[in-house]
Amino acid sequence: FATAAVTAQQIGCHGIEIHGAHGYLIDQFFWAETNHRNDQYGGSIANRSRFAAEIVREIRHRVGEQFPIFFRYSLWKQQNYGARLVQSPQELEQMLAPLVDAGVDLFDCSTRRFWEPEFGDSKLNVAGWTKKITGKPTMTVGSLGLEKDLDPGQQWQELKAAANGQMVASAEDERRDVEPPKLDLMLEMLNRGDIDLVGVGRMLISTPNWAELVRERRFKEIVPFSASALMTLE
């Protein structure tokens, strides 16, 4: 990990992001369901964070203090949407504190739906809680700009149908009003300071200028993402 970070720095990158989410190696240490170790890397939340913290610490040592280190994590799992790494803000602090001490500059907090509160009666999502707990900048992601939840199975069926020529929907056919309240909520969260950045993925396939349209509140010009949009890529 550290060697890759140094390479990124040497070729002119302005920072790096460590992928500690979605069931990959680092996340396997975080999650009690996959971490069955009985040494210093298993058991308590702090121990399960040790592997990630050591990676961050070595990267920070190698790249210096001025090179930004982002860290991505997810409380949920692609294998289990209901899974949670932690159950309370106190446990989240135990998980993240070693990473802050090791040198993380910003947390990329992956969630399925950015508008859903994470703990109790608070309106804060996981990125909001992370910022409150750590004092570090955060980025939120999760269905930003999508007008409805997308079921992975349904997307796959749509994609196969499109590949077989059974469904060829034009952009105009798919152009519908995006639900403004969720986009308004995202802007409200930014303006309120709950979060600092937003991450967008699928929406950029169907609407490459999504950020410009949202900034200018031209919501009706946004083309919602669907699996068939993947068939337009070359």
Side-chain angles (χ1 to χ4, degrees):
F1 283 95
T3 299
V6 170
T7 299
Q9 185 181 44
Q10 290 174 341
I11 65 175
C13 294
H14 296 286
I16 56 99
E17 176 165 288
I18 303 168
H19 201 329
H22 305 155
Y24 293 108
L25 177 62
I26 296 173
D27 192 35
Q28 292 173 26
F29 277 80
F30 281 144
W31 195 22
E33 293 296 320
T34 50
N35 184 344
H36 299 159
R37 301 175 70 104
N38 55 17
D39 58 9
Q40 62 181 342
Y41 295 97
S44 69
I45 296 173
N47 277 358
R48 298 200 306 269
S49 293
R50 189 186 303 272
F51 180 64
E54 289 183 358
I55 289 173
V56 174
R57 187 172 294 110
E58 181 62 19
I59 291 174
R60 177 57 70 205
H61 172 71
R62 299 272 293 275
V63 302
E65 295 297 322
Q66 302 304 313
F67 193 69
I69 299 175
F70 288 23
F71 191 95
R72 186 172 217 206
Y73 79 95
S74 61
L75 298 185
W76 64 284
K77 306 296 151 207
Q78 287 177 309
Q79 307 93 323
N80 182 353
Y81 289 155
R84 288 293 179 271
L85 292 181
V86 298
Q87 303 299 324
S88 67
Q90 293 74 27
E91 290 185 349
L92 183 60
E93 184 172 9
Q94 293 174 44
M95 172 184 162
L96 298 179
L99 303 179
V100 173
D101 292 341
V104 169
D105 294 302
L106 181 145
F107 287 98
D108 175 357
C109 308
S110 177
T111 186
R112 291 188 68 207
R113 305 177 184 97
F114 80 92
W115 59 89
E116 291 185 344
E118 191 58 44
F119 299 117
D121 297 329
S122 171
K123 294 182 179 180
L124 294 175
N125 68 1
V126 65
W129 273 108
T130 298
K131 182 175 182 177
K132 181 177 181 179
I133 289 170
T134 67
K136 294 293 184 178
T138 59
M139 177 163 64
T140 195
V141 302
S143 300
L144 281 160
L146 301 184
E147 67 171 4
K148 62 181 179 179
D149 286 340
L150 294 175
D151 175 76
Q154 181 181 356
Q155 289 184 72
W156 176 240
Q157 292 300 323
E158 290 180 2
L159 185 55
K160 287 197 297 183
N164 293 328
Q166 298 170 0
M167 181 183 66
V168 183
S170 69
E172 191 64 33
D173 293 333
E174 295 180 358
R175 190 180 299 274
R176 299 183 296 275
D177 290 352
V178 173
E179 185 179 348
K182 290 178 184 176
L183 291 175
D184 283 340
L185 175 60
M186 180 266 291
L187 295 173
E188 181 181 318
M189 292 165 65
L190 277 170
N191 293 332
R192 195 167 55 225
D194 294 350
I195 56 176
D196 301 280
L197 296 171
V198 298
V200 183
R202 292 168 295 187
M203 284 301 302
L204 298 183
I205 297 175
S206 57
T207 308
N209 61 335
W210 183 89
E212 176 186 356
L213 296 179
V214 171
R215 182 171 57 245
E216 298 175 1
R217 293 182 176 269
R218 293 156 56 190
F219 298 140
K220 292 185 177 181
E221 297 180 41
I222 293 175
V223 179
F225 172 84
S226 69
S228 60
L230 297 174
M231 301 305 296
T232 66
L233 302 179
E234 296 182 358

